Amino acid sequence: MFTYIDPSIRERLEEQGKLFQIDVDGVRVPAHHAVTRGPAISLLGPIPLPLKLCDLAINVDWYACVRRTELGKLEEIADELRAQQGQALFATLASSMAVNSVLIVGDPSRWQNPLVRVHSSCLTGDVFGSERCECGPQLASALDKIRQDEQGGMVIYMSGHEGRGIGLWAKAATYLLQDGGEDTYQANRSLGLPDDSRDFSDAGSLLKFFVKDQPFRLLTNNPKKIHDLEKMGITKITRVKHVTGVTDTNRRYLSAKQNWGHELTPEDLDAE
Ligand SMILES: [Zn+2]
């Protein structure tokens, strides 16, 4: 798999305003302008997506988002190969560029205090429906709450956050360690990896672009997430508790999160 957009299509999308970049402060920067401060993000969208998740049906506008630097490197390789007529090699090239997603519900220009979820990708929970964690129900419930909310809001889906930032391969190993008795954080440490290495800076830039300087409500139980966003100057955050999907199979995992600092009460863990 090689991420590639033909340059002529790229230009057309830029002219249409559907491929654009923002700087670290969420300010839109004209195409081809050098971004001087912080990592810039390229966005493709809005792309209408009619979603159907179990009983939930919702129309969202999707934006695909990548780091400008990562995309630039790939485009350089692609341009070189194309110049050498080596386009066939695209089939054998792999690109591991992290593509984050923004799902918008409603009209951001009307937002005053939207409901927001910054969701870390979890293939096993979000896609396979694994009950080792509660990620799948948290994502579906966030979209449902945003759909029902007067203001609407957005989900920022962070693709590089699998296993709190250690990646899917290492996460698979932590599951085997957890089955040997370790908790989710101990298992990361046993692999020589941090408890939580998620980087929320791209989420911060996207929030600055879409929410501007408005206050917003954030669906999370994790104070560290709020702390990380505050460090980026995003301070008008009201935390909204987001407990759902508690089952016998993930109660121990949630209890480890609670001990680590997630704001969960004993009653939350008794639920469902
Ligand atoms: Zn999960």
Side-chain angles (χ1 to χ4, degrees), residues 29-244:
V29 183
H32 309 301
H33 268 230
V35 179
T36 49
R37 222 172 70 71
I41 299 174
S42 290
L43 291 92
L44 259 180
I47 302 154
L49 279 189
L51 302 185
K52 185 107 172 55
L53 284 167
C54 301
D55 294 335
L56 168 72
I58 180 172
N59 291 317
V60 303
D61 282 327
W62 172 45
Y63 290 82
C65 319
V66 295
R67 281 267 176 105
R68 182 65 222 150
T69 41
E70 281 190 62
L71 184 61
K73 276 183 210 145
L74 284 172
E75 284 173 349
E76 270 173 34
I77 295 169
D79 288 347
E80 272 173 34
L81 283 176
R82 212 184 46 263
Q84 298 163 19
Q85 307 296 315
Q87 209 156 343
L89 286 172
F90 285 3
T92 57
L93 284 173
S95 63
S96 57
M97 187 169 66
V99 182
N100 297 321
S101 286
V102 170
L103 304 176
I104 298 284
V105 181
D107 178 359
S109 69
R110 290 163 169 255
W111 286 346
Q112 291 176 332
N113 188 9
L115 193 56
V116 174
R117 168 80 184 159
V118 178
H119 191 87
S120 295
S121 65
C122 173
L123 180 83
T124 49
D126 298 338
V127 179
F128 301 154
S130 160
E131 291 190 340
R132 271 184 180 258
C133 57
E134 86 290 31
C135 302
Q138 275 196 319
L139 178 62
S141 163
L143 279 164
D144 195 31
K145 286 175 183 170
I146 294 167
R147 179 182 65 89
Q148 290 183 42
D149 195 88
E150 269 186 8
Q151 292 269 321
M154 65 193 281
V155 171
I156 302 177
Y157 191 87
M158 303 299 294
S159 65
H161 279 187
E162 193 69 57
R164 290 189 303 278
I166 63 172
L168 189 58
W169 181 247
K171 179 174 116 171
T174 65
Y175 277 180
L176 291 173
L177 294 176
Q178 286 173 51
D179 289 347
E182 298 187 15
D183 79 24
T184 178
Y185 297 100
Q186 287 167 335
N188 277 27
R189 281 175 228 142
S190 294
L191 292 175
L193 295 166
D195 285 13
D196 190 338
S197 47
R198 287 175 292 178
D199 175 3
F200 288 103
S201 56
D202 284 6
S205 300
L206 293 165
L207 281 165
K208 287 178 179 179
F209 175 69
F210 284 102
V211 184
K212 309 279 187 282
D213 200 26
Q214 308 272 12
F216 65 94
R217 293 160 291 150
L218 186 67
L219 290 161
T220 186
N221 307 315
N222 183 2
K224 182 180 181 294
K225 204 180 276 185
I226 293 177
H227 184 65
D228 287 358
L229 291 174
E230 282 175 344
K231 278 198 289 192
M232 288 191 71
I234 300 169
T235 54
K236 297 175 188 169
I237 308 173
T238 305
R239 189 178 77 85
V240 176
K241 193 171 182 168
H242 194 48
V243 179
T244 184

